[in-house]
Amino acid sequence: MGAAIVDGIARFAQIAAEVASRVGPRKTPTLGILAAAELAALPGTVPITPDGVAVLAVAQPGEETGIAWTGDSRVYGWDGEQLVQRSTDHTVGQYLRVNGIPVELAKEHDNWIRCSLGRASVATVHFARIADPLVLLTSDGVPDGIPHAELERLVREHRGEPQALADAIVAATRGNEEGYRDDATVVVLAQPRMDGTPGC
């Protein structure tokens, strides 16, 4: 089973997410993201339109969940006790943090995306396997609009009901100081049962 979020222009995002979620389970999560990237790739064109960022999870019974991403959409895993961010944002702000720049200065650059589908390559699509029985895929509007502790509380309360959890997260997302509320998209993926019944 594959599930993807593409944060971008509506029609493009829908098609790219479908491509990623169809190709990922048959090939690999990385190839799923790269297949979606082909819809946006226009070498030599700046800016690239349409474009977006993407995250994909592929799960099958008895196996760890494969995840791949490019950009600042996120993957979280619930291990039964805590919610852990399993992806790393591909932003200038995160790059600065990793390289020792003070957190307050780095935060000012969190909206600058370093990687996107339009510029995706094998080198810019990151891949990991995670053992968490519950996986959340989110657009950047979720972490921007909900503190991590509140997000973890919602997961703890609704962990057995994937749709109720997704609805609760979207409803809890708030705007910033200026009143701007970014799009909040959530997919909750529960590890499929051994009989193949989806957990999404």
Side-chain angles (χ1 to χ4, degrees):
M1 175 174 55
I5 289 178
V6 173
D7 192 0
I9 297 170
R11 183 69 179 136
F12 165 74
Q14 292 170 356
I15 295 170
E18 183 172 347
V19 168
S21 61
R22 286 178 181 265
V23 173
R26 291 189 299 112
K27 302 289 187 175
T28 66
T30 300
L31 292 177
I33 295 287
L34 290 173
E38 285 302 308
L39 301 173
L42 295 171
T45 304
V46 178
I48 296 169
T49 303
D51 201 357
V53 298
V55 62
L56 169 66
V58 174
Q60 65 182 51
E63 299 288 338
E64 293 183 329
T65 300
I67 60 172
W69 70 97
T70 189
D72 63 352
S73 290
R74 285 190 182 176
V75 181
Y76 292 94
W78 171 258
D79 65 8
E81 296 183 8
Q82 62 180 341
L83 186 69
V84 179
Q85 182 180 335
R86 299 297 189 189
S87 60
T88 303
D89 295 345
H90 295 161
T91 63
V92 172
Q94 182 61 27
Y95 175 82
L96 294 174
R97 283 183 194 86
V98 169
N99 286 284
I101 300 300
V103 172
E104 288 308 312
L105 178 60
K107 280 176 69 172
E108 296 176 16
H109 302 281
D110 280 338
N111 287 329
W112 294 19
I113 303 296
R114 295 182 64 230
C115 304
S116 67
L117 288 173
R119 294 174 177 82
S121 69
V122 172
T124 64
V125 177
H126 290 191
F127 170 78
R129 291 196 176 279
I130 57 176
D132 305 297
L134 188 71
V135 176
L136 273 65
L137 310 180
T138 76
S139 64
D140 65 328
V142 172
D144 288 349
I146 306 176
H148 185 86
E150 184 175 349
L151 185 59
E152 185 172 74
R153 179 185 60 78
L154 291 171
V155 173
R156 194 178 302 280
E157 288 178 7
H158 301 285
R159 63 187 177 273
E161 307 167 291
Q163 187 60 57
L165 174 55
D167 292 341
I169 292 170
V170 171
T173 304
R174 296 180 291 275
N176 62 17
E177 298 81 21
E178 289 82 38
Y180 174 73
R181 182 183 183 271
D182 198 359
D183 173 53
T185 305
V186 182
V187 173
V188 179
L189 188 69
Q191 179 66 23
R193 294 191 287 271
M194 292 305 288
D195 65 2
T197 305
C200 188

